[in-house]
Amino acid sequence: MPQVLLKLISSMATAELLAELVTTYQRSTGISVMAEAAGGVAVLQRIQAGEAADVVVLAGNVIDKLIVEGRLLVGTRLDLVRSGIAVRQAVLNAKTLSFSTGPSGVYLEKLFERWGILEQIRSRIVVPPPGIPVGSFVAAGSAELGFQQLSELQSLAGIEILGALPPAIQLITVFSGGVSTHSADPQAARALLQFLASPAVAPVKLRFGMEGA
């Protein structure tokens, strides 16, 4: 019987969590999973360009977009985790600040615009290339203040996490998965997704700063 090999591709926000869950899944099932991660925008573009994969994990609204475009199979979306934005320090006091090109960065730009401070701080904003963690810019001294999904910040050395955005302005991003229309084994891909969404792995998600969806 031929060995099943699945390819999972995700954004960086869930990369470390999925790497651990995939390792557990491989041990328990004997099914090999190759997990890749890149910036969310880059992953979207790769899937839209027809890159072969079995499971795609991105922000829920992007998964919906890919389903509408026919890149992911209808009815395969499963919500995996909920992740909030973490903040290191007050915005206006920061000499330089950084946020990602993903959903949290888009949200923060709109939030700062609503506060009336976007133009005031725009020249101090340093946006890392897709796939490069904001926290690494902070750790290297390239940015004094960083905003990103807590899951991407908490495992980085050289930074101090001061906490999450206040609930009134917090953005919770739901990361979801879907099965690619290019999957050679959609049934096996669905089984992997169901494992990633199962209540049994909720404690692992909490350890990575996320909640089960």
Side-chain angles (χ1 to χ4, degrees), residues 133-185:
V134 168
S136 66
F137 266 43
V138 176
S142 301
E144 185 177 85
L145 166 67
F147 295 87
Q148 198 160 32
Q149 304 292 338
L150 177 59
S151 59
E152 293 187 71
L153 292 176
Q154 67 175 17
S155 62
L156 290 171
I159 64 172
E160 177 187 0
I161 298 176
L162 296 186
L165 292 177
I169 59 170
Q170 176 62 278
L171 171 72
I172 300 296
T173 300
V174 176
F175 288 94
S176 309
V179 175
S180 172
T181 52
H182 290 292
S183 176
D185 194 336

Side-chain angles (χ1 to χ4, degrees), residues 11 45 48 60 64 69 79 87 94-95 101 109 121 125-126 133 142-143 148 183 190 194 196:
S11 61
Q45 291 171 343
Q48 287 176 323
D64 287 340
E69 292 177 356
D79 295 339
V87 57
K95 295 176 183 177
T101 56
E109 276 217 6
I121 65 173
I125 297 173
V126 182
S142 301
Q148 198 160 32
S183 176
R190 283 175 186 259
Q194 288 165 356
L196 297 176

Side-chain angles (χ1 to χ4, degrees), residues 1-184:
M1 182 176 180
Q3 183 182 15
V4 176
L5 172 62
L6 298 175
K7 177 180 176 181
L8 180 153
I9 185 167
S10 74
S11 61
M12 297 302 296
T14 55
E16 293 190 15
L17 166 66
L18 292 175
E20 179 161 328
L21 293 179
V22 159
T23 298
T24 301
Y25 188 73
Q26 291 181 133
R27 273 201 307 263
S28 63
T29 65
I31 294 174
S32 297
V33 182
M34 180 176 64
E36 292 184 17
V41 174
V43 173
L44 170 62
Q45 291 171 343
R46 286 164 60 179
I47 298 302
Q48 287 176 323
E51 180 169 333
D54 293 287
V55 174
V56 181
V57 177
L58 292 168
N61 64 313
V62 182
I63 292 296
D64 287 340
K65 175 181 174 65
L66 289 171
I67 290 173
V68 170
E69 292 177 356
R71 304 294 180 182
L72 302 179
L73 294 174
V74 174
T76 62
R77 171 179 166 167
L78 276 181
D79 295 339
L80 307 180
V81 292
R82 292 161 47 86
S83 180
I85 302 170
V87 57
R88 285 193 69 242
Q89 187 179 321
V91 176
L92 285 173
N93 292 337
K95 295 176 183 177
T96 51
L97 63 150
S98 183
F99 47 78
S100 75
T101 56
S104 60
V106 173
Y107 171 79
L108 286 167
E109 276 217 6
K110 291 179 179 177
L111 176 65
F112 296 153
E113 186 174 27
R114 193 163 75 240
W115 284 351
I117 65 170
L118 181 59
E119 294 310 315
Q120 183 180 346
I121 65 173
R122 191 183 291 280
S123 63
R124 292 180 263 156
I125 297 173
V126 182
V127 179
I132 303 299
V134 168
S136 66
F137 266 43
V138 176
S142 301
E144 185 177 85
L145 166 67
F147 295 87
Q148 198 160 32
Q149 304 292 338
L150 177 59
S151 59
E152 293 187 71
L153 292 176
Q154 67 175 17
S155 62
L156 290 171
I159 64 172
E160 177 187 0
I161 298 176
L162 296 186
L165 292 177
I169 59 170
Q170 176 62 278
L171 171 72
I172 300 296
T173 300
V174 176
F175 288 94
S176 309
V179 175
S180 172
T181 52
H182 290 292
S183 176

